[in-house]
Amino acid sequence: MPVFERFLSIWVALAILAGLGLGQVAPGLVGFLAGLEWGSVNLVVAILIWFMVFPMMVGVDFSSLARIHERPKGLIITLAVNWLIKPFTMAALGVLFFEWVFAPFIEPGTAGQYIAGMILLGAAPCTAMVFVWSHLTRGDPNYTLVQVSLNDVIMVFAFAPIVALLLGVTDISVPWEVLVLSVVLYVVIPLGAGVLTRLRLTRGSASAAEGEARVAAFTARIKPLSILGLLATVVILFGFQGEVILDRPLVIAMIALPLLIQSYGIFALAYWAARAWRVPHKVAAPCALIGTSNFFELAVAVAIGLFGLNSIAALVTVVGVLVEVPVMLSLVWFANRTTHWFPAEESAIRTSRPREQS
């Protein structure tokens, strides 16, 4: 992992401090940026989100879905965790902590905003940093690509209904127009642009390897835009949230606690399932890490669209960025030290059965 990405949590923390300082020193500038809206979309944040999302969308190869039938166990675990478990446990933790545990310490009537931010994080599985976590655990890159590609297809159709369902269950009004617009703006459009860019880059390649090399070189060149877009978004969000945070600094810790419980709990569930099903480690580790990490760029964008740039829901999604990187690095460390729990190859499963029956 490049040094800049390895210490992403540090850069996010510095961006938070810069945002807090900007909100105090130049509140007029922050207010001006917040006022640049069209409908429910903040134009500045929309551009920054596109910078974040586009590089990862170029890396998605939908032709890999043709191999979806190969080694289905890891894929089944990932999809079950991402779409049948994770959004609902995140919503449950949000209700538990912000309607009960932390209720005396937050402003009356704001619990729904905290819960909504957590729901948005839980319903958006990661599509970019997954490749980094897979690489660090010596995961199978082709299998990881299949998982990410299928997740993106499902996200286009399932993200909005799941978010709407969970917001409705928690008695938060659901502006469907804004939710669907957010999915179109931050998933469908950049995904379409990524697919077209990928086709153009690979056109005329002498081989698939050459085409992939062109795509990798292109994404490497534009990837700094993704990180810069993320950090700039954090600066703006915390510029708006400055007074709330400075007045009540414990709000960050209150948000972080259920996110930490969710992350480690989801990883433990997926990793245990992979071990029990005797999935090879090079598939088991990435499939557990995919279920754990979040597509926080999408969560931030939708939170802003639904609740506003200076909302608590948007703040929750940004804290998710701060929490995720150190958590994922700790899980990579753990996965690399438990390789002996899993068979090395798929064939190891088949050859072990006769011995178990003898």
Side-chain angles (χ1 to χ4, degrees):
M1 185 192 297
V3 173
F4 194 79
E5 292 182 20
R6 181 174 299 178
F7 297 102
L8 181 59
S9 287
I10 294 177
W11 314 134
V12 170
L14 292 175
I16 289 173
L17 294 176
L20 294 175
L22 184 65
Q24 298 299 308
V25 174
L29 174 61
V30 177
F32 171 75
L33 295 176
L36 298 176
E37 290 188 353
W38 178 74
S40 60
V41 178
N42 182 272
L43 300 180
V44 176
V45 174
I47 293 171
L48 294 175
I49 295 293
W50 286 331
F51 281 159
M52 281 190 267
V53 174
F54 177 68
M56 66 188 73
M57 295 305 188
V58 176
V60 175
D61 180 12
F62 286 107
S63 65
S64 63
L65 294 179
R67 303 191 299 272
I68 197 172
H69 62 284
E70 300 174 3
R71 295 180 295 171
K73 293 180 179 179
L75 192 60
I76 291 172
I77 293 171
T78 298
L79 296 181
V81 168
N82 277 343
W83 300 107
L84 300 179
I85 298 174
K86 183 179 176 182
F88 303 95
T89 56
M90 188 74 98
L93 284 171
V95 171
L96 172 64
F97 277 92
F98 294 107
E99 289 194 352
W100 298 92
V101 179
F102 294 146
F105 309 105
I106 63 176
E107 294 293 329
T110 61
Q113 291 263 327
Y114 289 98
I115 297 168
M118 293 190 64
I119 288 172
L120 291 172
L121 282 171
C126 187
T127 64
M129 292 294 284
V130 165
F131 293 107
V132 176
W133 313 134
S134 178
H135 174 72
L136 292 178
T137 56
R138 300 177 182 85
D140 184 331
N142 294 324
Y143 199 90
T144 302
L145 184 59
V146 171
Q147 291 174 303
V148 170
S149 299
L150 185 58
N151 261 329
D152 279 351
V153 172
I154 294 174
M155 192 185 310
V156 170
F157 301 100
F159 177 79
I162 287 177
V163 169
L165 170 66
L166 292 175
L167 292 180
V169 167
T170 53
D171 296 326
I172 302 170
S173 61
V174 182
W176 264 98
E177 298 83 0
V178 178
L179 187 56
V180 173
L181 176 63
S182 296
V183 174
V184 172
L185 283 177
Y186 304 121
V187 179
V188 177
I189 291 177
L191 188 58
V195 169
L196 293 176
T197 302
R198 184 182 184 88
L199 290 174
R200 183 173 181 179
L201 290 169
T202 57
R203 185 180 302 158
S205 302
S207 65
E210 181 184 339
E212 287 301 319
R214 291 181 183 179
V215 172
F218 177 77
T219 54
R221 288 196 302 271
I222 66 172
K223 198 168 187 179
L225 292 177
S226 180
I227 302 298
L228 291 175
L230 169 64
L231 297 179
T233 303
V234 171
V235 170
I236 292 175
L237 290 176
F238 276 85
F240 270 95
Q241 297 287 352
E243 290 188 10
V244 175
I245 296 170
L246 293 176
D247 290 342
R248 305 183 65 188
L250 288 179
V251 69
I252 302 298
M254 288 192 295
I255 295 171
L257 180 58
L259 293 179
L260 287 170
I261 294 172
Q262 167 80 359
S263 297
Y264 286 115
I266 287 294
F267 177 85
L269 175 63
Y271 208 55
W272 173 84
R275 184 186 182 189
W277 213 355
R278 295 187 58 76
V279 176
H281 185 265
K282 65 181 182 180
V283 172
C287 89
L289 293 168
I290 290 172
T292 306
S293 55
N294 304 307
F295 190 178
F296 49 73
E297 296 91 344
L298 175 62
V300 170
V302 178
I304 293 169
L306 289 177
F307 302 102
L309 190 61
N310 60 342
S311 65
I312 293 174
L315 176 63
V316 172
T317 59
V318 173
V319 174
V321 183
L322 182 64
V323 169
E324 177 164 322
V325 176
V327 167
M328 297 305 293
L329 288 174
S330 71
L331 293 175
V332 165
W333 177 89
F334 177 80
N336 284 336
R337 281 154 182 78
T338 53
T339 56
H340 59 282
W341 289 2
F342 301 84
E345 301 289 344
E346 198 76 39
S347 59
I349 301 175
R350 292 192 293 269
T351 58
S352 65
R353 288 174 181 165
R355 289 195 297 269
E356 292 171 353
Q357 293 171 355
S358 61

